[in-house]
Amino acid sequence: MKNKRKTIPTDTVLVFFALIFLVMSILTACGAEEALPQEETEPALTVVEDEPDDAGEPLTSKPLTSEPEEGDPEAPESEEPEEETPAEGASGGIVDPAIQNEVHVVSDTPYVMSGDQSFWVEDKVLNNGYTMPVLGLGTYALTVEQAENSVYHALKYGVRLIDTARAYNNEDGVGRGIRRAIDEGLVTREEIFVTTKVWDTDFGNAGRAFEQSLERLGLDYVDLVLLHHVPRTNDEKAYHELEEKVAEGKIRSLGLSNIYLGNDTFDRMYEIAEIKPVLVQNENHPFFQNTDFQAYVGEQGLFIESWYPLGGRGFTQEYFNNEILLGIAAAHDKTVAQILLRWHIQAGYITIPGSSNPDHIAENYDIFCFELTDEEMQTIREMDTGHGNFNLRG
Ligand code: NAD
């Protein structure tokens, strides 16, 4: 019997090869995919870019960023200054309001800055009875990481007042710096005074904006909350919402910022305030002095807190190279920065110089062991030009 040869139809052969080709293609494609790098699932960290200041009008809802000043690099030194003895005594505690407006000593022990020199740290008594340090650390233009390190070093050196704002985009760094210092036993929460600010575009929902700041800071309460710029739409509503937070125990004191003489803004806000503001934070430095406004708000028991105490980022060299100030600095064996800060304190202001450089932070706090003479105070008083570097007049 003849074997019958089976013939395979051409169509079947074609389908067979097509299938093989398909399987090979899929395998090759899978292999190729495995060889590719894994797709990033986490977004890359955004590096915060620098920006000159937080005072200008252009800032709307855009969060602030930072800029190291030209010729004044603020990069943290790798070498850490010597360890200092932190000041004792609580800031932010309640004192009899009858003695408000007086500078008084809060420390039981003197703060020791440089081995053989010691001095008393002073606080102001606010119109609600809380105390507030006269000198602190500003954190405008600091990145989250810089803010954490600066706050930590400041607290380590004895600084007890920290100023931040929602708009600085670094409240979480400030909170981390505070926690680090507390965890290391350098300070307690009660010993420090923390300020933040509600940004203008949040005035419609200031209570919520404040709660978010509180969360970013990681604190149970904030010592002082300011309306960042006034007047602005909804400023009265915002103030009242913050008053509710005072009632809830989440804020101790309220304040205003960027109000100058020449309009009714301060009077209007003071009038509607059921909980009176304790201070106004303004641009203030020898070339642009708030003397008249200080006297005006002083009548209601408010202080002026100076921002741009050294002239501000991008403007400090005008001061640091000033012949008159250099002369005064030489007479006291101090730096011009220290002379400027001493002037703020002696003129009755509270102030918050900004820096990310631990050496500068220590230097800026070392101003309690000398005094400017009446003549020197008068010389600086006469430097007022009436023009600020931002000079916002809402
Ligand atoms: P500032 O006058 O404190 O100057 C800061 C500049 O001085 C920085 O460039 C810093 O590098 C330099 N500096 C600090 N100490 C120095 C030292 N010992 N030697 C040499 N250089 C030194 O300006 P600022 O930081 O913008 O203002 C102070 C704070 O005020 C801010 O950090 C912020 O907290 C607050 N602020 C508030 C408002 C507002 O609208 N309420 C506006 C601006 C600033």
Coordinates of all heavy atoms in Angstrom, one line a residue, residues 4-52:
K4 N 0.2 7.2 1.8 CA -0.4 8.4 1.3 C 0.2 9.6 2.0 O 0.2 9.7 3.2 CB -2.0 8.4 1.5 CG -2.7 9.1 0.5 CD -4.2 8.9 0.8 CE -5.0 9.9 0.1 NZ -6.4 9.8 0.5
R5 N 0.9 10.4 1.2 CA 1.5 11.6 1.8 C 0.5 12.7 2.0 O -0.3 13.0 1.2 CB 2.5 12.1 0.8 CG 3.9 11.7 1.2 CD 4.9 12.3 0.3 NE 5.6 13.5 0.9 CZ 6.4 14.2 0.3 NH1 6.7 14.0 -0.9 NH2 7.1 15.1 0.9
K6 N 0.6 13.2 3.3 CA -0.4 14.2 3.6 C 0.2 15.6 3.1 O 1.4 15.8 3.2 CB -0.5 14.4 5.1 CG -1.5 13.4 5.7 CD -1.8 13.9 7.1 CE -2.8 12.9 7.7 NZ -2.9 13.2 9.1
T7 N -0.6 16.3 2.5 CA -0.1 17.6 2.0 C -0.7 18.7 2.9 O -1.9 18.6 3.3 CB -0.5 17.9 0.6 OG1 -1.9 17.7 0.5 CG2 0.3 17.1 -0.4
I8 N 0.2 19.6 3.3 CA -0.3 20.7 4.2 C -0.7 21.9 3.3 O 0.1 22.3 2.5 CB 0.8 21.2 5.2 CG1 1.2 19.9 6.0 CG2 0.3 22.3 6.1 CD1 2.4 20.1 6.8
P9 N -1.9 22.4 3.5 CA -2.3 23.5 2.7 C -1.4 24.8 2.9 O -1.0 25.0 4.0 CB -3.8 23.8 3.2 CG -4.1 22.7 4.1 CD -2.9 22.0 4.5
T10 N -1.2 25.5 1.8 CA -0.3 26.7 1.9 C -0.8 27.7 2.9 O -0.1 28.3 3.7 CB -0.3 27.4 0.5 OG1 -0.3 26.4 -0.5 CG2 0.8 28.3 0.4
D11 N -2.2 27.8 3.0 CA -2.7 28.8 4.0 C -2.3 28.5 5.4 O -1.9 29.3 6.2 CB -4.2 28.7 3.9 CG -4.8 29.4 2.7 OD1 -3.9 30.1 2.0 OD2 -5.9 29.4 2.4
T12 N -2.3 27.2 5.7 CA -1.9 26.8 7.1 C -0.5 27.1 7.4 O -0.1 27.6 8.4 CB -2.1 25.2 7.3 OG1 -3.4 24.9 6.8 CG2 -2.0 24.8 8.7
V13 N 0.4 26.9 6.4 CA 1.8 27.2 6.6 C 2.0 28.7 6.8 O 2.7 29.1 7.7 CB 2.6 26.8 5.3 CG1 4.1 27.3 5.4 CG2 2.6 25.3 5.1
L14 N 1.3 29.5 6.1 CA 1.4 30.9 6.2 C 1.0 31.3 7.6 O 1.6 32.1 8.3 CB 0.6 31.6 5.1 CG 1.2 31.6 3.8 CD1 0.3 32.3 2.7 CD2 2.6 32.4 3.8
V15 N -0.2 30.7 8.1 CA -0.7 31.1 9.4 C 0.3 30.7 10.5 O 0.6 31.4 11.4 CB -2.0 30.4 9.7 CG1 -2.5 30.6 11.1 CG2 -3.1 31.0 8.7
F16 N 1.0 29.5 10.3 CA 1.9 29.0 11.2 C 3.1 30.0 11.4 O 3.5 30.4 12.5 CB 2.4 27.6 10.8 CG 3.5 27.0 11.6 CD1 3.2 26.6 12.9 CD2 4.8 27.0 11.2 CE1 4.3 26.0 13.7 CE2 5.8 26.4 12.0 CZ 5.6 26.0 13.2
F17 N 3.7 30.4 10.2 CA 4.8 31.3 10.3 C 4.4 32.7 10.8 O 5.2 33.3 11.6 CB 5.5 31.5 8.9 CG 6.4 30.3 8.5 CD1 6.1 29.4 7.6 CD2 7.6 30.1 9.3 CE1 6.9 28.3 7.3 CE2 8.4 29.0 9.0 CZ 8.1 28.1 8.0
A18 N 3.2 33.0 10.5 CA 2.8 34.3 11.0 C 2.7 34.3 12.5 O 3.1 35.2 13.2 CB 1.4 34.7 10.4
L19 N 2.2 33.1 13.1 CA 2.1 33.0 14.5 C 3.5 33.0 15.2 O 3.7 33.7 16.2 CB 1.4 31.7 14.9 CG -0.1 31.8 14.9 CD1 -0.7 30.4 15.1 CD2 -0.6 32.7 16.0
I20 N 4.5 32.3 14.5 CA 5.8 32.3 15.1 C 6.4 33.7 15.1 O 7.0 34.1 16.1 CB 6.7 31.3 14.3 CG1 6.3 29.9 14.6 CG2 8.2 31.6 14.6 CD1 7.2 28.8 14.0
F21 N 6.2 34.4 14.0 CA 6.7 35.7 13.9 C 6.1 36.6 15.0 O 6.8 37.4 15.7 CB 6.4 36.3 12.5 CG 6.8 37.7 12.3 CD1 8.2 38.0 12.1 CD2 5.9 38.8 12.4 CE1 8.6 39.3 12.0 CE2 6.4 40.1 12.2 CZ 7.7 40.3 12.0
L22 N 4.8 36.4 15.3 CA 4.1 37.2 16.3 C 4.7 37.0 17.7 O 5.0 37.9 18.4 CB 2.6 36.9 16.2 CG 1.7 37.8 17.0 CD1 1.7 39.3 16.4 CD2 0.3 37.3 17.1
V23 N 4.9 35.6 18.0 CA 5.4 35.3 19.3 C 6.8 35.8 19.5 O 7.1 36.4 20.5 CB 5.4 33.7 19.5 CG1 6.1 33.3 20.7 CG2 3.9 33.2 19.5
M24 N 7.6 35.7 18.4 CA 9.0 36.2 18.5 C 9.0 37.7 18.7 O 9.8 38.3 19.5 CB 9.8 36.0 17.2 CG 10.0 34.5 17.0 SD 11.4 33.9 17.9 CE 12.8 34.7 17.1
S25 N 8.1 38.4 18.1 CA 8.0 39.9 18.2 C 7.7 40.3 19.6 O 8.3 41.2 20.2 CB 7.0 40.5 17.3 OG 7.2 40.1 16.0
I26 N 6.7 39.5 20.2 CA 6.3 39.9 21.6 C 7.4 39.6 22.5 O 7.7 40.5 23.4 CB 5.0 39.0 22.0 CG1 3.8 39.5 21.2 CG2 4.7 39.1 23.4 CD1 2.6 38.6 21.2
L27 N 8.1 38.5 22.4 CA 9.2 38.2 23.3 C 10.3 39.2 23.2 O 10.8 39.7 24.2 CB 9.8 36.8 23.0 CG 8.9 35.6 23.4 CD1 9.5 34.3 23.0 CD2 8.7 35.6 25.0
T28 N 10.6 39.6 22.0 CA 11.7 40.6 21.8 C 11.3 41.9 22.4 O 12.0 42.6 23.1 CB 11.9 40.9 20.3 OG1 12.0 39.6 19.7 CG2 13.1 41.7 20.1
A29 N 10.0 42.3 22.2 CA 9.5 43.5 22.8 C 9.6 43.5 24.3 O 10.0 44.5 24.9 CB 8.1 43.8 22.4
C30 N 9.2 42.4 24.9 CA 9.2 42.3 26.4 C 10.7 42.4 26.9 O 10.9 43.1 27.9 CB 8.7 40.9 26.9 SG 6.9 40.9 26.6
G31 N 11.6 41.7 26.2 CA 13.0 41.8 26.6 C 13.5 43.2 26.5 O 14.2 43.6 27.4
A32 N 13.1 43.8 25.4 CA 13.6 45.2 25.3 C 13.1 46.1 26.4 O 13.8 46.9 26.9 CB 13.1 45.7 23.9
E33 N 11.8 45.9 26.8 CA 11.2 46.7 27.8 C 12.0 46.5 29.1 O 12.2 47.4 29.9 CB 9.8 46.4 28.0 CG 9.0 47.4 28.8 CD 7.6 47.1 28.9 OE1 7.0 46.8 27.8 OE2 7.0 47.2 30.0
E34 N 12.3 45.2 29.4 CA 13.0 45.0 30.7 C 14.4 45.7 30.7 O 14.8 46.1 31.8 CB 13.2 43.5 30.8 CG 12.1 42.8 31.6 CD 12.2 41.3 31.5 OE1 13.3 40.8 31.4 OE2 11.2 40.7 31.6
A35 N 15.0 45.8 29.5 CA 16.3 46.4 29.5 C 16.2 47.9 29.7 O 17.1 48.6 30.1 CB 16.9 46.2 28.1
L36 N 15.0 48.5 29.5 CA 14.8 50.0 29.7 C 14.8 50.3 31.2 O 14.4 49.5 32.0 CB 13.5 50.4 29.1 CG 13.4 50.5 27.6 CD1 11.9 50.8 27.2 CD2 14.3 51.6 27.1
P37 N 15.3 51.5 31.5 CA 15.3 51.9 32.9 C 13.8 52.0 33.4 O 13.0 52.4 32.6 CB 16.0 53.3 32.9 CG 16.1 53.7 31.5 CD 15.9 52.5 30.6
Q38 N 13.6 51.7 34.7 CA 12.3 51.8 35.2 C 11.8 53.3 35.2 O 12.6 54.2 35.4 CB 12.3 51.4 36.7 CG 12.6 49.9 36.9 CD 11.4 49.1 36.6 OE1 10.3 49.5 37.1 NE2 11.6 48.0 35.9
E39 N 10.6 53.4 34.9 CA 10.0 54.8 34.9 C 10.0 55.3 36.3 O 9.7 54.6 37.2 CB 8.6 54.7 34.3 CG 8.1 56.1 33.9 CD 6.6 55.9 33.4 OE1 6.3 54.9 32.9 OE2 5.9 56.8 33.7
E40 N 10.3 56.6 36.5 CA 10.3 57.2 37.8 C 8.9 57.4 38.2 O 8.0 57.9 37.5 CB 10.9 58.6 37.7 CG 12.3 58.6 37.2 CD 13.3 59.2 38.2 OE1 12.8 59.8 39.2 OE2 14.5 58.9 38.1
T41 N 8.6 56.9 39.4 CA 7.3 57.0 40.0 C 7.2 58.2 40.9 O 6.1 58.8 41.0 CB 6.9 55.8 40.8 OG1 7.9 55.5 41.7 CG2 6.6 54.6 39.9
E42 N 8.3 58.6 41.5 CA 8.3 59.8 42.3 C 8.7 61.0 41.5 O 9.7 61.0 40.8 CB 9.3 59.6 43.5 CG 9.1 58.5 44.4 CD 8.3 58.9 45.6 OE1 8.3 60.1 45.9 OE2 7.6 58.1 46.2
P43 N 8.0 62.1 41.7 CA 8.5 63.3 41.0 C 9.8 63.8 41.6 O 10.0 63.7 42.8 CB 7.4 64.4 41.2 CG 6.6 63.8 42.4 CD 6.8 62.4 42.5
A44 N 10.7 64.3 40.7 CA 11.9 64.8 41.2 C 11.7 66.0 42.1 O 10.7 66.7 42.0 CB 12.8 65.3 40.0
L45 N 12.5 66.2 43.2 CA 12.4 67.3 44.1 C 12.5 68.6 43.4 O 13.5 68.7 42.6 CB 13.4 67.2 45.2 CG 13.1 66.3 46.4 CD1 14.3 66.3 47.3 CD2 11.8 66.7 47.0
T46 N 11.7 69.6 43.6 CA 11.8 70.9 43.0 C 12.8 71.7 43.8 O 12.6 71.9 45.0 CB 10.5 71.6 42.9 OG1 9.5 70.6 42.5 CG2 10.5 72.8 42.0
V47 N 13.8 72.2 43.2 CA 14.7 73.1 43.9 C 14.1 74.5 43.9 O 13.7 75.0 42.9 CB 16.1 73.1 43.2 CG1 17.0 74.1 43.9 CG2 16.7 71.7 43.2
V48 N 14.0 75.0 45.1 CA 13.4 76.4 45.2 C 14.4 77.4 44.6 O 15.6 77.5 45.0 CB 13.1 76.7 46.7 CG1 12.5 78.1 46.8 CG2 12.2 75.6 47.2
E49 N 13.9 78.2 43.7 CA 14.8 79.2 43.1 C 14.8 80.4 43.9 O 13.9 80.7 44.7 CB 14.3 79.5 41.7 CG 14.4 78.4 40.7 CD 15.8 77.9 40.4 OE1 16.7 78.7 40.6 OE2 16.0 76.8 40.1
D50 N 15.8 81.2 43.7 CA 15.9 82.4 44.5 C 15.1 83.6 44.0 O 14.9 83.7 42.8 CB 17.3 82.8 44.6 CG 18.1 81.8 45.4 OD1 17.5 81.0 46.1 OD2 19.3 81.9 45.4
E51 N 14.7 84.5 44.9 CA 13.9 85.7 44.5 C 14.3 86.8 45.5 O 14.5 86.5 46.7 CB 12.4 85.4 44.6 CG 11.7 85.8 43.3 CD 10.2 85.6 43.4 OE1 9.6 86.1 44.3 OE2 9.7 84.8 42.6
P52 N 14.3 88.0 45.1 CA 14.8 89.0 46.0 C 14.1 89.3 47.3 O 14.8 89.5 48.3 CB 14.8 90.3 45.1 CG 14.2 90.0 43.8 CD 13.9 88.5 43.8

